[in-house]
Amino acid sequence: MILTTKNCTHLAAKLAKFKRAALLKYQVKQFADGEYYYRLHYSKKPKTITLLANITPDPGSLFELLALAQAAQDSGIIIGTLCIPYLGYSRQDRQSARGEAVMARMIANTVNHIPAQRRIFIDLHSDAVRAMFAPHDEIFCLPFITQALFAEGVDVVVAPDKGATARARQVAGDAPVIVMLKHRPRHNVVGRVHMLYPVQGKRVLMVDDMIDTGRTIASAARVLKKQGAESIIVAATHGVFSAPSYKILSAAPIDKILVSDTLSPRAPLHARVVSIARHLSAAL
């Protein structure tokens, strides 16, 4: 059976079909003082479950995951696999200014205490984050998301910053890889280092692990288009698409955006959501 937090029901429903598994239902309510109450509902208690949950910026997402894990544990149900498709706070993986909380470490320490036999993540943000977790498996979905694009024709794969270099090389195959340079003068602001890139007349595929505000890929796309790129397609695993992204991306010279359904699709009009449910079900 699959037990899922509310923010992952869209993916859990697809997985249940591929795995021919049932979804384990549960009740949530609040008492008068605001305390939450969780109760699993089943006619026949499952021996083992898959627990599926996204950890988003909302602290309630982590609380719900922990509550469901506790309900399973207290009911004598084994969590065979804990799968976290999207791991929020993973960009806060180091202390860049004195006094900062390394939020990724806090999340990892908490998740590591969930008594799961196996842990699966999808396209984690960095090696620093990977090192914070107990032994786990990671599924890389970008090659799956982009495979059809190479049949249509891709001349060059672009990493919009150094952090996306490994992903670009993983996807590229025999195609050349370009790594662009950027700097952040402050949070949510992207600056570009002036460089010439060999993209004149090229069909460009730009890849990253997530699209949040869209500033990184929009600034990269403007540079590439100015330098003569014929077309620009962007592919990312996690489509966060926070509020500013709709305006930022619609103004950018991007022909198409592909994202997976790790998060509930809220993609802009010119973006396409590629389901990874079949790909993920094979690993569960």
Side-chain angles (χ1 to χ4, degrees):
M1 297 189 82
I2 299 173
L3 175 60
T4 180
T5 54
K6 293 292 191 294
N7 62 22
C8 231
T9 52
H10 67 286
L11 189 55
K14 298 173 188 175
L15 284 172
K17 289 182 180 179
F18 287 122
K19 300 296 289 183
R20 295 183 179 178
L23 295 177
L24 180 55
K25 296 181 179 180
Y26 61 94
Q27 175 189 9
V28 184
K29 67 179 181 180
Q30 275 185 285
F31 294 113
D33 63 354
E35 283 191 2
Y36 282 88
Y37 168 93
Y38 283 80
R39 181 189 176 191
L40 304 180
H41 285 288
Y42 48 81
S43 54
K44 181 180 179 181
K45 186 175 76 172
K47 182 179 178 182
T48 305
I49 60 167
T50 294
L51 178 53
L52 188 70
N54 281 326
I55 296 177
T56 67
D58 177 7
S61 66
L62 180 59
F63 184 89
E64 185 178 24
L65 166 59
L66 295 175
L68 293 180
Q70 190 67 48
Q73 186 178 5
D74 292 340
S75 301
I77 299 172
I78 297 170
I79 303 173
T81 301
L82 169 61
C83 179
I84 300 180
Y86 176 72
L87 183 74
Y89 295 93
S90 59
R91 285 172 287 180
Q92 297 186 56
D93 58 1
R94 63 191 181 280
Q95 193 178 57
S96 57
R98 187 171 61 185
E100 286 182 343
V102 181
M103 295 297 289
R105 182 173 292 118
M106 183 194 78
I107 298 293
N109 289 341
T110 304
V111 170
N112 284 340
H113 280 91
I114 296 175
Q117 295 179 334
R118 183 187 182 202
R119 291 172 173 79
I120 295 179
F121 300 93
I122 297 179
D123 287 357
L124 288 171
H125 181 65
S126 66
D127 286 339
V129 171
R130 292 181 182 98
M132 293 174 186
F133 282 95
H136 64 272
D137 296 320
E138 184 175 357
I139 299 173
F140 300 97
C141 287
L142 269 177
F144 173 76
I145 295 168
T146 60
Q147 61 185 0
L149 297 175
F150 284 88
E152 299 171 6
V154 171
D155 297 316
V156 61
V157 177
V158 170
D161 55 29
K162 285 184 177 179
T165 303
R167 294 182 186 89
R169 288 177 177 155
Q170 184 185 56
V171 164
D174 295 330
V177 172
I178 293 173
V179 180
M180 301 182 72
L181 301 180
K182 76 172 184 182
H183 61 92
R184 286 194 181 274
R186 59 186 184 275
H187 291 166
N188 287 328
V189 175
V190 176
R192 285 287 166 188
V193 176
H194 179 69
M195 288 184 66
L196 292 176
Y197 300 103
V199 295
Q200 178 70 41
K202 304 285 187 181
R203 294 165 296 182
V204 172
L205 169 61
M206 191 188 318
V207 298
D208 211 342
D209 64 321
M210 69 178 72
I211 302 174
D212 182 4
T213 64
R215 289 187 174 94
T216 292
I217 62 170
S219 64
R222 284 193 293 270
V223 170
L224 296 174
K225 199 67 176 179
K226 200 171 184 180
Q227 295 187 10
E230 178 185 317
S231 62
I232 300 170
I233 295 176
V234 174
T237 303
H238 310 295
V240 179
F241 296 120
S242 56
S245 68
Y246 296 91
K247 183 176 181 180
I248 291 168
L249 293 172
S250 63
I254 297 171
D255 297 279
K256 187 191 299 183
I257 296 174
L258 301 180
V259 294
S260 82
D261 54 352
T262 54
L263 292 163
S264 183
R266 295 181 303 148
L269 289 177
H270 64 308
R272 183 163 70 89
V273 177
V274 179
S275 179
I276 60 165
R278 186 186 296 274
H279 188 60
L280 178 57
S281 70
L284 291 176

